[in-house]
Amino acid sequence: MAEDDAQPDPERAIELLWGTPEPERPGLSLGRIVAAAVEVADAEGLAALSMRKVAERFGTTTMSLYRYVPGKAELVELMRDAVYGRFPMGPSGGLGWRAGLERWARRAWEIHRSHPWLVHSGGTRRLPGPNIMAGYDHALDVASRTGLAPAQVIAVVNLVGGFVESVARQAGETAELQRRTGVSHERWWSERESLFERLDGYPALERLWRGGGMDTPVDPFEFGLQRTLDGVQALIDNQEREVIRDETGGECVTCGKPLDGGGRGRPRDYCSRACQQRAYRRRQAGS
């Protein structure tokens, strides 16, 4: 198995991540090895990282590193946790759920921008260390302020974190291509005239292009983050409406008139037959 394809020994990785930190002393140490590996990955990408390149930074042999870490797979686990430790969250104070999650997402975005290789180090079986878990626990605490059910709180945090990782992956791929080719993303696309000449048969695209839709693209992180949080807010609002309707009868979904909660059976959505018919006609008109 190639070094890049190797999976970490989970128990050994957990021991390295969560064990008692070794005291700093002159010469080679686990902490210095991890720091050097991060420098290599930052400069050349995760695929270029090897135990040999790390050893060269210390002027020593690869075998000398194995006294501290079994191999690259375990080293990457340590690197991931180390870079998260460089961006501690700190207390969230009196922030509400939205401001708190936005702050957490921006911190994660900053980490990924500083270390683009992170998106290539993840996976469903990557082992979190204490720094990663501290950030995740912080986000769970903030998201709990939504009042959502426990499973939904976890899903919200995973949703926001997944959004950040997705945008970071796209940005990282663009930056890596620019680094390898020396050609910027904008320049590469500006030189694709032979493609643009073939796009006049797509009316929606042409209409938006002529309307200036591509002149000043929206920032994908800023736009996506706010729309993601808007979705969480919509979930909260919907559940609050359900509670109100169960307790008080709620409001007519057509005209907004308060509904009495005194009936039996299924909660009503409309204050009258007329409102129900208006809603039906609207649905038919939109179908």
Side-chain angles (χ1 to χ4, degrees):
M1 181 181 290
E3 187 179 41
D4 286 340
D5 298 328
Q7 294 296 310
D9 177 330
E11 294 306 316
R12 183 67 178 117
I14 291 171
E15 179 184 344
L16 288 167
L17 285 163
W18 293 89
T20 303
E22 63 176 13
E24 284 296 328
R25 55 174 65 92
L28 207 57
S29 69
L30 182 59
R32 292 190 178 91
I33 291 170
V34 172
V38 169
E39 291 177 359
V40 172
D42 286 347
E44 304 179 44
L46 195 63
L49 175 67
S50 67
M51 299 292 279
R52 177 183 58 79
K53 283 190 176 182
V54 176
E56 288 174 352
R57 295 204 164 213
F58 296 100
T60 186
T61 64
T62 303
M63 290 303 296
S64 64
L65 302 187
Y66 292 130
R67 294 167 45 209
Y68 300 89
V69 61
K72 177 179 175 179
E74 291 80 9
L75 180 57
V76 170
E77 299 296 315
L78 293 166
M79 292 162 57
R80 293 175 66 240
D81 199 61
V83 297
Y84 272 84
R86 298 177 181 180
F87 296 81
M89 282 299 305
S92 62
L95 292 178
W97 72 264
R98 181 162 186 147
L101 280 180
E102 181 173 340
R103 177 171 171 261
W104 175 70
R106 292 188 185 283
R107 175 254 199 182
W109 176 235
E110 184 179 0
I111 295 172
H112 279 87
R113 292 185 69 183
S114 299
H115 307 285
W117 52 267
L118 267 176
V119 294
H120 303 296
S121 72
T124 57
R125 294 189 178 181
R126 289 300 187 186
L127 297 164
N131 292 319
I132 290 176
M133 281 306 300
Y136 186 58
D137 189 70
H138 176 95
L140 291 173
D141 177 59
V142 169
S144 296
R145 300 169 193 175
T146 59
L148 294 171
Q152 291 178 320
V153 168
I154 293 173
V156 163
V157 171
N158 291 342
L159 173 68
V160 176
F163 159 74
V164 175
E165 184 174 328
S166 175
V167 178
R169 184 178 299 276
Q170 295 175 44
E173 289 172 354
T174 299
E176 175 62 17
L177 279 171
Q178 181 169 322
R179 186 186 67 81
R180 288 203 332 254
T181 64
V183 178
S184 72
H185 191 62
E186 293 74 15
R187 176 186 162 191
W188 190 88
W189 278 108
S190 70
E191 295 174 349
R192 304 282 75 80
E193 293 183 6
S194 60
L195 172 63
F196 299 144
E197 292 170 355
R198 293 169 167 81
L199 298 182
D200 56 359
Y202 299 89
L205 177 63
E206 183 177 5
R207 183 172 64 253
L208 293 171
W209 175 70
R210 292 187 181 282
M214 299 179 185
D215 294 343
T216 54
V218 298
D219 183 287
F221 175 77
E222 296 296 338
F223 180 82
L225 176 59
Q226 297 307 322
R227 302 298 75 76
T228 301
L229 297 176
D230 286 346
V232 177
Q233 183 66 65
L235 174 63
I236 296 169
D237 292 344
N238 182 64
Q239 295 201 2
E240 288 178 348
R241 283 195 297 268
E242 289 294 327
V243 170
I244 292 172
R245 186 166 65 179
D246 289 344
E247 293 179 349
T248 69
E251 298 178 345
C252 174
V253 297
T254 300
C255 70
K257 179 181 176 180
L259 300 173
D260 65 76
R264 292 183 298 174
R266 182 179 179 274
R268 293 187 300 145
D269 293 319
Y270 310 100
C271 65
S272 65
R273 180 69 174 169
C275 277
Q276 185 177 18
Q277 290 176 342
R278 280 200 296 273
Y280 174 77
R281 288 193 294 270
R282 288 176 186 171
R283 290 195 297 271
Q284 290 298 104
S287 63

